[in-house]
Amino acid sequence: MDIATLVGLVAGAIVVSSLILMGGTFGMFYDIHAVIVIFGGSFAATMIRFPLSAMIHGVPLGAKFAFTLSSLSAHDLVDELARIAEIARKQGPVGLEKVETDEPFLAKGIRYVADGYDLDFIRDNLERDRDNFLMHLDEGSKIYRAVGDCAPAFGMIGTLLGMVQMFSNMQDPSKLGPFMATALLATLYGAVVANLICLPIADKLHGKLLDEETNRTLIIDGILMIRDSKSPTLVREMLLAYLPEKHRHAEGEPVPA
């Protein structure tokens, strides 16, 4: 689990809740009209921006990856692929049938090599799989950002509606309070939804998209070199180029001449 996302959301909720309780109760900050304006309006506007298929794939995938980390880091993948290359060198492709890994994309590549598929087939299928995954993750990031953009705007719409209703009922003082609450709480809800939830998640997903693109491209290159019977040392050194310079030889791996 990505602890940073969870801690950030919990900390933000604690801050907002503490400020509410220091000056009143949660009941004071609930208004059904503001909820309808913010969540209903933001959802409707986002539905207009994106096709239904993008919503179906992007929202759950984005929610999942906002709270999870890849099972293997880039450096771990280099080590894993070098180990797999060593197995393939000693036992041949058949030896890869017993190799186990926690990374599903890597497991698929290993299976392709073990089954004896040709180089072009492996490259095309893995690249297509990578591109489809990154497309859906990018859709998730864009959808959360769209909701984050819409929420403050609909907060303003709720504020304007509340003020219009308030000024239209100036002759009845008993109605001024609820309408003023709608006006103010709509702005509050929009700001919280956008700045505490949706926009941070959108940024987190964009960062993970870049990481996943690097990791999956690294896996593809490693699998292709293993399929091409490259030596484990060459596989390691070629894949270390994906890592930042200071991390490439952190474990003291030798650099070939």
Side-chain angles (χ1 to χ4, degrees), residues 16 20 29 155 183-193:
V16 175
I20 290 175
F29 289 84
L184 297 178
L185 289 177
T187 299
L188 174 64
Y189 290 173
V192 170
V193 169

Side-chain angles (χ1 to χ4, degrees), residues 8-64:
L9 288 175
V10 171
I14 291 174
V15 169
V16 175
S17 299
S18 299
L19 292 174
I20 290 175
L21 295 175
M22 288 172 64
T25 64
F26 287 110
M28 296 172 54
F29 289 84
Y30 175 75
D31 184 83
I32 186 61
H33 300 91
V35 171
I36 292 173
V37 168
I38 295 302
F39 291 98
S42 298
F43 179 78
T46 304
M47 287 286 290
I48 295 172
R49 289 188 179 188
F50 297 93
L52 183 60
S53 59
M55 298 283 290
I56 292 174
H57 289 99
V59 173
L61 186 67
K64 174 184 176 182

Side-chain angles (χ1 to χ4, degrees), residues 92-99 107-117 122 223 226-227:
V94 178
L96 299 179
E97 293 180 355
K98 298 181 180 180
V99 173
K108 177 182 290 188
I110 294 172
R111 178 170 57 83
Y112 285 162
V113 176
D115 290 343
Y117 291 114
I122 296 174
I223 290 295
I226 292 171
R227 175 62 180 82

